[in-house]
Amino acid sequence: MAVKIRLKRLGKIRAPYYRIVVADSRTKRDGRVIEEIGQYHPTEEPSIIKVDSDRAQYWLSVGAQPTEQVTALLKLTGDWGKFKGDKNAVSTVRTAEAKGEFVADASKKSVIKPQAAKKAEEPAAEAPADEAPAADATDAE
């Protein structure tokens, strides 16, 4: 049985993402797989490439043949170099920069009141309303 490491397409029309899978070479592109070993999101900036290196090394060592696209991805992650015996193989995958924490502009007036301030105002507004009818009742007597 010939085993291939290939891409399984998921996602919507014009918004694809892929899983890197190990499957029998005779199965359909999106059909039954033996194991999922990674993921690839080409539409993100930078592209997301995640590969379980141990499982990729195992499947390559037992003779699984990667497709051209998967070979290119394995070269980026450094797994292909490790398989070929290059001790200095490293990942060259770009990662997204961490986003800074959001800080509201203090010079602009806030439209939304904090919830604590809203709760403090509500009981204060109700207290004078309770006192007014009580005062009217004592005047009537």
Side-chain angles (χ1 to χ4, degrees):
M1 174 171 78
V3 177
K4 289 214 174 252
I5 302 175
R6 62 184 181 195
L7 297 176
K8 177 179 181 177
R9 189 183 194 279
L10 301 167
K12 299 186 290 189
I13 296 173
R14 289 183 281 289
Y17 61 94
Y18 300 91
R19 290 193 183 146
I20 301 170
V21 298
V22 178
D24 183 356
S25 63
R26 296 170 290 183
T27 61
K28 298 176 186 177
R29 178 192 69 178
D30 300 334
R32 190 172 64 102
V33 300
I34 298 170
E35 183 178 1
E36 294 178 359
I37 60 171
Q39 58 183 334
Y40 171 51
H41 296 263
T43 57
E44 302 289 326
E45 183 54 41
S47 297
I48 297 173
I49 302 171
K50 296 179 184 174
V51 178
D52 184 357
S53 184
D54 295 335
R55 297 309 296 164
Q57 293 300 319
Y58 167 76
W59 283 108
L60 289 170
S61 69
V62 295
Q65 296 296 311
T67 61
E68 290 179 21
Q69 297 90 344
V70 173
T71 304
L73 294 175
L74 292 175
K75 286 178 181 177
L76 285 174
T77 60
D79 292 321
W80 187 253
K82 288 179 190 173
F83 171 66
K84 289 296 186 180
D86 182 12
K87 304 257 189 233
N88 301 325
V90 293
S91 175
T92 58
V93 176
R94 293 187 303 147
T95 57
E97 296 177 13
K99 292 184 179 180
E101 188 173 325
F102 176 75
V103 179
D105 190 3
S107 65
K108 295 182 180 177
K109 184 178 178 183
S110 177
V111 178
I112 302 171
K113 294 181 183 177
Q115 289 184 353
K118 286 182 185 177
K119 290 179 182 177
E121 289 176 9
E122 290 173 7
E126 292 175 10
D130 292 338
E131 294 173 8
D136 293 336
T138 55
D139 291 336
E141 292 178 12

